Amino acid sequence: MGRYPDRRSASIPALWAVQERYGWCTPEGIRQAAAVMRVTPAYLESVASFYDLLHTSPVGTHRIEVCTNISCWMRGADRLLEAFQEAAGGDDANFYVTGFECLGACDIAPMASIDQRYYGPLEAAEAGVAIDQLRAGQEVLPDKALAKRGLAGDA
Ligand code: FES
């Protein structure tokens, strides 16, 4: 809260911390954060319910958001989303798979965020590989990880 002129500006980082701790923005976690921030739980609930990346109900251990906005859609995002949903097995509570509107990495379309890390460009066939790697506790698609790509201007 000390980073911001208004303590309410720390709402999203506080809710993100709650989500990291509990897996989603639980009522208890929201009450704890609200007590520390000296705001009402209802205020934090309203913030949490507004943002798609904050979850107000339980989600799986692994969160997969497949971008389906224009750049990714034109490069096969719908098929990629289907492939992730099929590979995750539909009812497998370990996986939360959803479409998402532009994750801001259009240059690697079609792409997905897997446990908050970006991967792309992805082929539909790689969805099953990624799910298997997550189940096995292995590194996910190392060749497609945005974090492993060089920076512009790198030799
Ligand atoms: S359209 Fe997919 S990341 Fe922007």
Side-chain angles (χ1 to χ4, degrees), residues 49-64:
S49 65
F50 182 80
Y51 292 99
D52 290 340
L53 288 176
L54 293 169
H55 302 285
T56 54
S57 58
V59 292
T61 306
H62 299 291
R63 297 195 295 265
I64 300 167

Side-chain angles (χ1 to χ4, degrees), residues 66-73 77 100-112 118:
V66 178
C67 175
T68 53
N69 211 317
I70 189 69
S71 298
C72 292
W73 176 78
F100 206 88
E101 294 301 319
C102 194
L103 287 158
C106 317
D107 60 319
I108 58 169
M111 59 80 61
Y118 281 12

Side-chain angles (χ1 to χ4, degrees), residues 72-121:
C72 292
W73 176 78
M74 290 178 71
R75 293 177 51 84
D78 286 349
R79 179 67 198 109
L80 182 62
L81 176 58
E82 281 176 20
F84 268 109
Q85 290 169 329
E86 288 167 14
D91 293 337
D92 188 336
N94 281 321
F95 294 98
Y96 172 80
V97 180
T98 188
F100 206 88
E101 294 301 319
C102 194
L103 287 158
C106 317
D107 60 319
I108 58 169
M111 59 80 61
S113 170
I114 302 173
D115 291 341
Q116 301 163 50
R117 296 182 187 278
Y118 281 12
Y119 298 87

